[in-house]
Amino acid sequence: MSQRLRAIPLFADLPDEEVQLLSAAATEVPLGEGEVLFEEGAFGDSAYVILEGEIEIITQAKGREVLLAVRRQDEVIGEMALLRAEPRSATARARVPALLLRIPKKELDTLLDTSAQATKALFRVLLERWQSTESRLRQSERMAQLGTLTAGLAHELNNPAAAVERSAGRIREFVDRFAQDLVAMATAGIPHGTVADLVELFDQPFERSSLDALARSDLELDVEDWLTDHGVPTPWDLAPDLVEAGVDADRLAALSDRFGEHAPTVLPVFALQRRGAGLIHEVEVGASRLSAIVKALKGYAYLDQAPIQEITITDGIEDTLLILAPKLRDVEIVRRYGDIGTIEAYGSELNQVWTNLLDNAADAVHMTDGPHRITIRTHAEDGWAIVEIEDNGPGIPPDIQHRVFDSFFTTKEPGKGTGLGLDISYAIIADKHGGDLSFDSEPGRTTFRVRLPCNTPVDDKEMPTVAACEHLENVNWDPLAPAPGCAACLETGDTWVHLRRCLTCDVTLCCNDSPNQHAQAHAGESGHPTIRSAEPNEDWAWCYLHDTGIRRR
């Protein structure tokens, strides 16, 4: 067993006596395919070394399973929870039959207390895993959010689309019936003056009745009785259309006086014309709603626009509210918009911030019995645009408020959140826009406050011309060969063009503004920390390990 431990990088440089102590305390743990070694959220008392087989590391994010990594022979797993004295951050499950070596926490603590080599090796492993895990979960957070928005949009689009389809089908039936009644009226010898009076009624704008269901039912009975008493055919079919057009028994009496003996022939034509006007109105409303949703979606994503635009903040908030409408149906939205003009910003990324804040606010208000209310305020203050999103939920407990912006920290149930929404939002506001995101909370009121600089051009992060880390000291600034796109994206048919080049293996990948973020994912998985921009006229390099960059002199 001692020789086997020596083959593992973490233990390779340990003195013989320490390896022997570990070997004596360790025990073998066999796992069958699909068997769980430890569960996410459980407290751990051991770390494990994989002797044979493969272990998949998985977590629950937004109700779905996310594969974070696959660990193989000679890798150590389960050590992070021991070092941080926190519950397991993910589940470990055997991908194939596996054999592991269990190392109790006591022996691991002793090893780290006495061996600088083991501490350095473990730190390196932890850093690489943290970067890889964070990158994957950030992508999962974005994709889960996209899935939620897509489901909501599908629901929002279905209602007006169904209304348009339903009304269009009834219009065909209406046209056939209307043509028959016009022919009947023409053959009945209706005087020209009566026809002119009828056409004048046709020209009146259609106004939908605002009656409640009970009042409408009573009125339809009255109208149907009047039509029956005056010999108008199919009164049960015509009454609803007349009531919908705002015609009651008194109005019918006036029309009957106007048309005289021809009323039984003319009134059905008038009722059908009002039905047709109502159907056309329904199509117009449905199409208008579809157009509004598509417009909001296009505005939300800032499609066909440069990453940085001059934007109106409230437009982005309104687009986000429409996108989130299914979740906000029972929430009162109070708007208190002040004049803050326009600002230069990454529009689509700001909309991601509004989405995170409003989505969290909706979750918060639904934790109470109601009424549910979200208040949105905007105003300008000393060169800053201020946006406040306040909810009347239960508030954030004081003992966890200091952790709200921490990566992976969430108060939601397992699988409901990744703990990255506010972390991502803070990075967008503070790092990309030079602003600030803060909050204050008490029972019954939580307010998140966004501060953005007014009329200050937003540019990429300021980069020095002197290397800030060892990976950037000897960057090769030779011209980069052109690439058709991100190698990973092209495999799926994506043609994302904002590209980065790995300076270790010379592969071209997509940037962090892309949906897939292959460049950062590649850095986390491969350990290759440095990239160069592969876009024309951009001479800069970036180190993902130290989160710093350098611009060519």
Side-chain angles (χ1 to χ4, degrees), residues 185 190 194-195 198 201-202 259 262-271:
M185 188 176 70
I190 306 295
T194 301
V195 174
L198 181 60
L201 291 176
F202 288 173
F259 295 127
H262 302 294
T265 304
V266 172
L267 286 178
V269 177
F270 171 66

Side-chain angles (χ1 to χ4, degrees), residues 176-371:
D176 293 341
R177 173 80 178 274
F178 192 59
Q180 294 173 8
D181 281 12
L182 285 178
V183 171
M185 188 176 70
T187 57
I190 306 295
H192 177 74
T194 301
V195 174
D197 288 344
L198 181 60
V199 171
E200 182 182 337
L201 291 176
F202 288 173
D203 290 337
Q204 293 179 358
F206 178 83
E207 294 183 4
R208 188 172 295 280
S209 171
S210 59
L211 295 172
D212 60 52
L214 184 60
R216 181 190 301 271
S217 177
D218 291 341
L219 191 54
E220 286 179 5
L221 288 174
D222 291 343
V223 169
E224 183 180 338
D225 289 342
W226 190 97
L227 293 173
T228 301
D229 293 343
H230 290 77
V232 178
T234 63
W236 59 88
D237 184 44
L238 303 178
D241 296 319
L242 291 169
V243 171
E244 183 66 21
V247 177
D248 58 15
D250 292 338
R251 176 88 186 279
L252 283 173
L255 291 173
S256 179
D257 292 341
R258 185 173 182 177
F259 295 127
E261 62 179 308
H262 302 294
T265 304
V266 172
L267 286 178
V269 177
F270 171 66
L272 283 175
Q273 192 275 336
R274 293 290 87 184
R275 176 186 297 177
L279 293 172
I280 293 171
H281 176 74
E282 289 179 6
V283 171
E284 289 174 342
V285 170
S288 176
R289 178 62 177 170
L290 288 171
S291 178
I293 294 172
V294 172
K295 180 180 178 182
L297 181 59
K298 187 174 181 179
Y300 178 87
Y302 284 86
L303 296 176
D304 305 323
Q305 299 185 43
I308 301 173
Q309 309 91 23
E310 187 169 291
I311 67 166
T312 300
I313 288 177
T314 51
D315 287 350
I317 293 174
E318 287 301 315
D319 288 342
T320 305
L321 288 171
L322 193 150
I323 299 297
L324 291 176
K327 194 169 185 176
L328 299 172
R329 293 196 188 282
D330 61 342
V331 180
E332 178 190 4
I333 304 297
V334 180
R335 297 168 174 83
R336 295 178 181 170
Y337 294 156
D339 184 12
I340 54 178
T342 60
I343 67 169
E344 284 192 358
Y346 294 88
S348 62
E349 296 199 27
L350 278 187
N351 283 348
Q352 187 177 355
V353 173
W354 311 141
T355 300
N356 285 331
L357 296 182
L358 287 167
D359 186 64
N360 285 346
D363 286 338
V365 300
H366 285 118
M367 293 172 65
T368 63
D369 293 333

Side-chain angles (χ1 to χ4, degrees), residues 159-172 279 282-283:
N159 289 337
V164 169
E165 182 181 25
R166 181 175 60 251
S167 297
R170 292 181 62 199
I171 285 175
R172 180 183 300 276
L279 293 172
E282 289 179 6
V283 171

Side-chain angles (χ1 to χ4, degrees), residues 508-523:
T508 300
L509 300 157
C510 58
C511 71
N512 276 13
D513 288 331
S514 75
N516 298 315
Q517 298 184 326
H518 283 127
Q520 182 162 327
H522 173 75

Side-chain angles (χ1 to χ4, degrees), residues 53 72 131 137 383 453:
R72 296 178 173 84
Q131 289 177 320
L137 277 180

